[in-house]
Amino acid sequence: MTVLANSTRFFKEEETQWEVVGEGVQRQIVGFENRIMMVNVKFEKGAIGPLHNHHHTQVTHIAAGIFEVTIEEETRILKKGDSFYIPSNKIHGVVCLEEGILIDVFSPMREDFIK
């Protein structure tokens, strides 16, 4: 297998830049290689992760805050400590109801996130 890119072995929050990816939304890449990627996503209250889909499988943990999460036709209110799973190519998105942080894990890695 050819490795397209790798992150460093250790992640230190204070040494890693946050990237603005939308109004009230910032992303911080934690670690990755071809098969997996972890990303912190910080949301201000009211910020939206618009409905979208991608071929990656995704599992997301809510590290802080409260979010309205939609996957396909189902919407739930989830809070700190909750998680959700998104199969490949399913429409999904979030609305941040209380400032928070999501921890996204993708398989395979999101090549579009690497510059």
Side-chain angles (χ1 to χ4, degrees):
M1 174 176 73
T2 303
V3 175
L4 299 176
N6 274 8
S7 64
T8 60
R9 289 187 180 188
F10 298 97
F11 165 80
K12 294 194 71 165
E13 195 277 333
E14 68 272 5
E15 295 175 2
T16 306
Q17 296 277 343
W18 286 91
E19 171 189 9
V20 174
V21 293
E23 188 173 333
V25 183
Q26 297 179 57
R27 173 172 62 214
Q28 184 183 54
I29 296 173
V30 174
F32 63 93
E33 57 108 65
N34 284 17
R35 296 169 295 178
I36 194 165
M37 174 180 266
M38 181 182 279
V39 179
N40 293 330
V41 188
K42 189 185 317 182
F43 285 80
E44 295 175 6
K45 182 177 181 176
I48 296 172
L51 291 172
H52 66 287
N53 70 322
H54 43 73
H55 74 273
H56 313 83
T57 300
Q58 178 178 341
V59 177
T60 298
H61 177 74
I62 300 173
I66 300 174
F67 291 84
E68 178 183 272
V69 179
T70 300
I71 303 171
E72 294 287 286
E73 301 84 28
E74 187 173 1
T75 299
R76 299 261 180 110
I77 305 298
L78 301 176
K79 63 180 176 30
K80 178 181 176 178
D82 296 337
S83 298
F84 54 96
Y85 164 72
I86 305 161
S88 178
N89 293 311
K90 299 298 180 187
I91 300 289
H92 61 282
V94 301
V95 176
C96 183
L97 304 178
E98 180 184 292
E99 182 177 322
I101 295 178
L102 300 180
I103 302 172
D104 290 336
V105 177
F106 301 99
S107 178
M109 73 174 276
R110 294 288 305 259
E111 293 177 32
D112 55 318
F113 286 6
I114 303 301
K115 295 190 185 322

